Amino acid sequence: MTLKWRLTLVYTALLACLLGLVSLSALGLMQRSLRNNLDAALSDNYRVFTRSAGGTLASGPSWVARYTFPNNVIQVEDLGFYDQSTLSRGLSGAQTPEARAQFLKTLRSTLNSQRRVITGLSPQRPFVLTETELTRLAESPGGRILIQRSVNDIYGEPGKTQTTPYRILVALGMEQLEMPRANGMPPPPPSFAITYIGLSLTPMNDTMRSLKGVFAVLFFLGTALSALGAYLLAGQALLPLRQVRQAAERIGGQNLGERVPEPQTQDEVQALAGSLNAMLDRLEKSFEAQRRFTSDASHELRTPVTAISGHANYLLRRTDPTGQQQESLRIIQSESARLTNLIASLLELARSDSGALVMSHQPILSSMFLTEIVRELAPLAHNAGTALSTSGQDITFEGDPDRLKQVMINLVGNALKAGARNITLSSKLLDSGQKLQLSVRDDGPGIPAEHLAKLFDRFYRVEDSRSRDQGGAGLGLSIAKGIVDAHGGKIWIESEIGQGTDAFVELPVGDVPVFDEDDVP
């Protein structure tokens, strides 16, 4: 995964977490606010019920309570001779479980007999407090607790039972449960009672459900937008680094004079670009010193080697050396020739490294090109007992025929040195006619797999002693690679022990003219 995508994922995850926390916090605060408002409404309704209409509603027709409190469920339980302290002592101060159970039994009998459903409830399904809730109510400092119950909708469609969640305020207090007497006598005294007054949680739940939907949409939309923004911002932030990378990838041994751009961002990217340019300066100086040494040494060695070879020839022609002296002089001639070839190869590599390897591009016919190589190497192949042949398509491509011939001769020469009995040179088109592949296939002993990756290294020989005996210096494939690279192509070797070796040269076809039959000699 690229750095751009990793940054995008990190930024998106962070923003998603932030949006999630904000959404959850907002939902929590909203739910708390709605519940507080609901509790405040319950307290207001309880105050209105107890102060102004308790007796009227408790004793009057049910439609009056329904009209007065259309959204509430109300239930009252007369405690008779009990009060809050009696309840607290009876529930908390019972000495034994049996005494507590007997107290609860008596209390529930009183509550069941003195229960009045005012509005919104079915008398068959009234509110009943659990033992824990009764204890909490009795021990509550204000004599109030809040509970939640599911209530059957008695005003719904006939035959359908719909359950609605309610939040219920349960309060202990003195309630006027009887209406004033008609003859003008004062009303009975208030009674100590438990009042249940509840409001439906459906509006709050619907509001919370809508808010959750809105926040979910905002969360996913915000996450998507943050991901897009993070991707664009990461791309913009990494653009200087990408430019530096692209410039660094273009720089090679032949263009070490180029430098990567230094973005004026005053950050680590600019520092990195500066460090890369400083490193390239050092590399360029080092490479230039190496090239100069190779070139200068090669030029300087030519003169003494030529002198040595000339004097050896003179002694062989002009004097009458003994047999042992003649053998020594011939060895001197052979080694002088090998040194001359080595010096020429070093000069070739120096020109290739410096980019001074001049290419003369012209149209080439692959069949004629390969046939000429076979004809030129036929004597060597005959002496080695090897059969040379060509095959494949006749393709016109653009290149330097002399340099490419040097590459192919080197590949065929390596096959001859390996002892191949059959060598085939072929050509074919690749990539819908955009590239050409030249190949040299032999049936020699093959090359071990561990050597294949190092064949194009300078001075590398698979079999050092045999290569030296045959005059090889380990530079031929390095020079061939430099020539192919200068053509914009690539070269590689595939081999298997006992199955032979295949050498491939892939080149761009280039911009070649279309030949008629009369143009081909």
Side-chain angles (χ1 to χ4, degrees), residues 253-420:
Q254 297 181 356
N255 58 344
L256 277 175
E258 294 186 17
R259 294 294 179 267
V260 300
E262 293 189 22
Q264 300 303 312
T265 53
Q266 307 300 321
D267 57 9
E268 290 81 359
V269 178
Q270 183 178 359
L272 175 62
S275 299
L276 285 175
N277 285 333
M279 180 187 68
L280 289 172
D281 288 337
R282 296 191 297 271
L283 286 175
E284 184 182 12
K285 292 177 181 178
S286 176
F287 271 67
E288 186 60 33
Q290 180 184 355
R291 292 169 185 161
R292 190 180 302 111
F293 170 77
T294 302
S295 179
D296 292 347
S298 300
H299 279 289
E300 292 299 326
L301 286 173
R302 274 186 168 184
T303 301
V305 169
T306 302
I308 292 171
S309 178
H311 283 287
N313 289 333
Y314 174 79
L315 291 174
L316 283 172
R317 291 196 311 267
R318 301 289 184 174
T319 63
D320 188 17
T322 64
Q324 187 175 4
Q325 291 173 341
Q326 288 181 1
E327 182 181 357
S328 297
L329 290 173
R330 289 192 182 94
I331 292 174
I332 292 173
Q333 281 184 318
S334 175
E335 291 301 313
S336 298
R338 197 170 71 85
L339 276 175
T340 301
N341 292 331
L342 178 59
I343 291 169
S345 297
L346 289 173
L347 285 173
E348 190 86 9
L349 286 173
R351 284 194 292 269
S352 176
D353 290 341
S354 63
L357 196 61
V358 180
M359 296 292 166
S360 177
H361 289 275
Q362 55 185 279
I364 304 172
L365 294 175
S366 63
S367 60
M368 295 180 59
F369 174 71
L370 297 179
T371 300
E372 185 178 350
I373 293 173
V374 169
R375 185 168 55 249
E376 186 172 331
L377 294 177
L380 288 177
H382 179 73
N383 293 335
T386 303
L388 288 177
S389 61
T390 62
S391 65
Q393 303 168 271
D394 189 8
I395 305 162
T396 304
F397 65 100
E398 190 178 42
D400 187 324
D402 294 332
R403 297 290 185 180
L404 292 176
K405 182 186 293 185
Q406 182 180 352
V407 172
M408 299 301 292
I409 289 176
N410 181 274
L411 296 176
V412 175
N414 287 339
L416 290 172
K417 292 176 185 178

Side-chain angles (χ1 to χ4, degrees), residues 63-208:
W63 64 267
V64 178
R66 180 66 180 171
Y67 178 78
T68 307
F69 295 96
N71 299 320
N72 293 93
V73 291
I74 303 175
Q75 174 182 302
V76 179
E77 295 171 343
D78 190 354
L79 288 171
F81 61 86
Y82 290 101
D83 58 18
Q84 187 169 0
S85 61
T86 306
L87 287 175
S88 180
R89 286 196 304 273
L91 292 170
S92 304
Q95 299 297 321
T96 62
E98 292 77 9
R100 180 182 177 88
Q102 183 61 39
F103 178 80
L104 281 172
K105 181 179 180 181
T106 305
L107 176 62
R108 289 196 181 281
S109 176
T110 301
L111 294 176
N112 292 336
S113 63
Q114 300 296 325
R115 180 178 294 121
R116 301 182 188 181
V117 174
I118 308 301
T119 183
L121 280 174
S122 170
Q124 286 74 34
R125 298 194 63 181
F127 294 135
V128 178
L129 294 178
T130 65
E131 181 180 343
T132 302
E133 291 170 343
L134 277 171
T135 304
R136 283 176 51 211
L137 179 63
E139 295 177 353
S140 173
R144 295 184 181 186
I145 63 171
L146 289 163
I147 63 173
Q148 289 187 194
R149 289 286 192 278
S150 293
V151 177
N152 288 341
D153 187 3
I154 62 173
Y155 301 108
E157 297 182 17
K160 291 186 178 180
T161 302
Q162 183 176 354
T163 302
T164 304
Y166 272 75
R167 188 166 176 83
I168 302 156
L169 172 65
V170 184
L172 281 172
M174 301 302 294
E175 305 291 348
Q176 182 63 51
L177 301 179
E178 299 293 337
M179 295 177 60
R181 297 172 183 175
N183 56 6
M185 296 183 65
S191 301
F192 193 71
I194 300 177
T195 303
Y196 302 80
I197 185 163
L199 283 172
S200 173
L201 289 171
T202 299
M204 187 185 78
N205 291 341
D206 291 343
T207 301
M208 290 303 301

